[in-house]
Amino acid sequence: MRKPTRRTLLRSIGAAAGSAAVYRTMDALGMLGTGAAQAATLDLAPGTGEGGHVVILGAGVSGLAAAWEMSRAGWRCTVLEATPRPGGRNLTVRGGDVLTEREMRQEVCFDPEDHLYANLGPARIPYHHRTVLGYCKAFGIDLEIFTNDNRAALFHDRARFGGRPVVARRVLTDMRGYVAELLAKAVDRGALDTELTADDKENVRAMLTSFGGLQEDRSYAGTNRAGYKGATVHAGLEAGDAEERLDFGELLGADFWQYKLHFSHFLNQNPTLFQPVGGMDAIVRAFAERIGKLVRYACIVEQIRREDHGVRIVFRGPDGAERAVRADHAICTIPAPVLKDIPNDFSPETQAAIESLEFVEAVKVAFQARRRFWEDDSAIYGGISWTDSDITQIWYPSNGYHRPKGVLVGAYIWSSGPGRRYSAMSAPERLRAALEEGDPLHPGYAGEMECGISRAWRNVPFQNGGWPRTNPDAAAALREGDGPFQFAGDQVTALPGWQEGALLAAHAAAGAIHRQFTGR
């Protein structure tokens, strides 16, 4: 009999006793380096929740994690999910899946190959989101790099550069060069004499020359960092001519600098980012495999009430009959735009916080391309192109490189106006609009696509939006809880829209209830 490996052992422990036990085991085996134990697990001692009953409203990532952790501690957990599937906004679609939005029905048309899928909800995991990565490690979910920032991708402003897209490496290189030249001139003219010593000034000049690729006279004349003219981009056998610098006035007039240029500098967009191999729903499936029996699907919550010292949740089951479940506590992960209309016994302060949360009108459109033209024609391997058209972004897949076909995200919208416009369209109208708006970036774009799918989260039953706009006061109020009610989901955190926030909220809610129950 083959001796079990550490990986096999840890997977077995994770399946039987939870992620906290996995990390305790790893620590005991000396497998955690300094600080690695801060990968944010909830450590509820086994058996300490025996005799307690919690009802969890919603089987999104937050609800699933709360049920997983509390059930490992001995809690009786009942999860009520309004839809036929777990995951909430964590949604990966593949060929043959069916999507509904109110009266709209779409069948996913992708070919049945493992790389042809679209993450229509969360799609990337930053390296410092240690909780979600901790679950991926504990559950044995394989990860691959998600390419967020790609210098071969495109920037497009309809009013600048003749309406033509510009390659990102040119925009970034020239903007750095021009800014470095301006600052160098300021130093040379003595504008910073009160801030800099003579030695500092020399160091700043040297730094700016290197940073911006400046000439000896500290002027910016362009640099081969922007690439070379012609199809090869690089120098090749003979260096040839570097790309001409872009016009500074055009760069300033475009919207690139407002945030697109430094998008990857935002903390949650910093490399390295990851995605589960085969789709983001690998996380949902891993939870569901472990606690699927605790979830009651197609159970629509109709009332949330206090009863004695506990809760009574009235819901309508898949057969249409009204039922009630009683428990000691409830963890509510229902999105605020849905929750605000459910009759409840929340305090006025809690209800006001719920009603003040506004959700983003997020939309994604994904296309299956007959060939990977972005790789073949433009050497774009993963990453994001930007446009000031409503589609906002085009995402190139970070998997399936050099395979015949690929699924490209042809629109990722989160601004209110564009989101509302696309949400009001029919499914065919969305596809036509996204193809039209993508054509300036990739001429002949529509002819490359075989089919497409879209998701407007504002129209999705039991979601009514993508994720909450930042509202620290409302989030803080909900984190306080309300008697037997605790609230979870990314909506109660400073990480709206991220699975890390949803998981941290689940841990906080479960921990608060557990401490009340055990007195510790």
Side-chain angles (χ1 to χ4, degrees):
M1 182 175 179
R2 182 189 297 178
K3 183 178 179 180
T5 64
R6 285 186 171 188
R7 183 181 180 88
T8 304
L9 173 64
L10 292 172
R11 284 192 177 185
S12 300
I13 292 172
S19 60
V22 169
Y23 275 88
R24 287 196 296 270
T25 303
M26 292 174 69
D27 188 41
L29 292 174
M31 296 172 66
L32 295 179
T34 302
Q38 296 174 4
T41 58
L42 179 64
D43 195 356
L44 305 181
T48 53
E50 293 288 351
H53 182 197
V54 60
V55 58
I56 299 168
L57 308 182
V61 168
S62 198
L64 293 171
W68 164 244
E69 297 292 356
M70 295 189 79
S71 65
R72 297 306 90 192
W75 282 84
R76 177 186 168 202
C77 297
T78 302
V79 185
L80 300 179
E81 168 56 41
T83 74
R85 55 169 285 271
R89 203 172 57 84
N90 180 320
L91 175 64
T92 303
V93 296
R94 302 172 181 83
D97 291 342
V98 175
L99 297 179
T100 57
E101 292 179 24
R102 296 176 183 165
E103 304 304 317
M104 183 189 299
R105 183 181 186 277
Q106 301 177 76
E107 183 170 341
V108 181
C109 53
F110 304 154
D111 291 349
E113 296 185 45
D114 58 3
H115 69 296
L116 298 178
Y117 63 85
N119 291 317
L120 297 183
R124 48 195 166 192
I125 304 172
Y127 70 93
H128 49 81
H129 285 195
R130 301 297 302 279
T131 314
V132 62
L133 289 173
Y135 279 116
C136 289
K137 188 170 186 177
F139 294 162
I141 298 171
D142 291 329
L143 300 173
E144 59 192 0
I145 297 297
F146 176 92
T147 302
N148 209 35
D149 188 29
N150 187 336
R151 299 301 168 88
L154 305 170
F155 284 87
H156 175 236
D157 185 315
R158 288 168 290 178
R160 300 293 167 179
F161 302 104
R164 295 183 297 277
V166 184
V167 177
R169 65 177 175 271
R170 297 185 66 190
V171 175
L172 291 158
T173 296
D174 288 349
M175 188 62 82
R176 285 169 66 114
Y178 284 124
V179 169
E181 179 185 25
L182 288 173
L183 186 51
K185 287 179 178 178
V187 172
D188 289 344
R189 291 171 182 169
L192 299 176
D193 283 357
T194 58
E195 285 82 13
L196 301 174
T197 67
D199 287 344
D200 288 340
K201 289 170 68 173
E202 287 306 309
N203 287 333
V204 168
R205 290 186 182 104
M207 181 272 289
L208 292 173
T209 299
S210 175
F211 175 82
L214 304 184
Q215 304 293 303
E216 289 186 8
D217 63 357
R218 289 186 287 281
S219 65
Y220 181 66
T223 167
N224 61 7
R225 298 175 188 177
Y228 289 83
K229 295 178 181 178
T232 61
V233 178
H234 56 75
L237 291 175
E238 296 184 20
D241 297 321
E243 286 280 10
E244 295 180 4
R245 63 181 184 175
L246 300 169
D247 181 80
F248 192 30
E250 287 282 85
L251 285 173
L252 290 177
D255 71 349
F256 308 155
W257 55 266
Q258 294 178 13
Y259 70 93
K260 297 173 182 178
L261 275 174
H262 56 270
F263 185 69
S264 64
H265 292 191
F266 293 129
L267 182 59
N268 289 314
Q269 304 296 344
N270 285 180
T272 303
L273 296 103
F274 300 95
Q275 62 183 13
V277 173
M280 189 62 76
D281 65 347
I283 295 171
V284 173
R285 288 185 279 108
F287 276 117
E289 287 169 3
R290 290 160 174 80
I291 56 144
K293 64 183 182 299
L294 303 179
V295 184
R296 300 171 70 174
Y297 294 102
C299 291
I300 301 170
V301 174
E302 296 190 333
Q303 297 180 48
I304 302 172
R305 301 300 186 189
R306 301 174 194 258
E307 187 171 86
D308 298 327
H309 298 293
V311 301
R312 178 172 58 90
I313 309 300
V314 179
F315 65 96
R316 194 166 298 278
D319 59 359
E322 187 176 273
R323 297 179 174 82
V325 59
R326 292 169 173 81
D328 303 304
H329 298 271
I331 296 177
C332 183
T333 74
I334 297 172
V338 178
L339 181 60
K340 68 182 179 64
D341 294 326
I342 299 175
N344 62 70
D345 291 339
F346 300 148
S347 70
E349 294 78 12
T350 296
Q351 186 65 24
I354 293 167
E355 291 179 356
S356 72
L357 284 170
E358 297 180 357
F359 271 48
V360 170
E361 298 87 348
V363 178
K364 278 189 178 180
V365 179
F367 296 106
Q368 177 174 293
R370 65 184 76 257
R371 71 182 184 99
R372 300 172 76 95
F373 60 87
W374 53 93
E375 295 174 2
D376 295 343
D377 302 345
S378 304
I380 298 175
Y381 292 86
I384 296 170
S385 285
W386 293 85
T387 175
D388 65 341
S389 296
D390 281 355
I391 58 172
T392 310
Q393 293 183 332
I394 293 177
W395 287 22
Y396 309 97
S398 296
N399 67 339
Y401 300 121
H402 287 174
R403 295 176 75 168
K405 296 183 180 183
V407 170
L408 171 151
V409 174
Y412 183 26
I413 302 167
W414 61 86
S415 297
S416 181
R420 287 178 179 269
R421 287 192 287 274
Y422 264 73
S423 296
M425 296 178 186
S426 68
E429 287 171 339
R430 285 180 201 157
L431 300 184
R432 285 196 295 271
L435 289 172
E436 181 179 339
E437 292 179 0
D439 190 74
L441 285 83
H442 297 285
Y445 189 65
E448 300 285 1
M449 304 305 184
E450 294 183 323
C451 63
I453 195 75
S454 65
R455 186 65 150 179
W457 286 98
R458 186 168 184 258
N459 301 340
V460 176
F462 311 111
Q463 291 287 334
N464 293 2
W467 60 88
R469 292 187 171 89
T470 301
N471 187 332
D473 292 340
L478 293 177
R479 286 198 302 273
E480 290 294 320
D482 187 351
F485 304 111
Q486 292 289 330
F487 298 89
D490 60 306
Q491 61 192 350
V492 308
T493 76
L495 284 169
W498 295 96
Q499 293 177 106
E500 182 77 1
L503 293 170
L504 291 173
H507 287 188
I513 290 173
H514 195 73
R515 286 191 296 274
Q516 290 180 38
F517 183 75
T518 61
R520 291 182 288 175

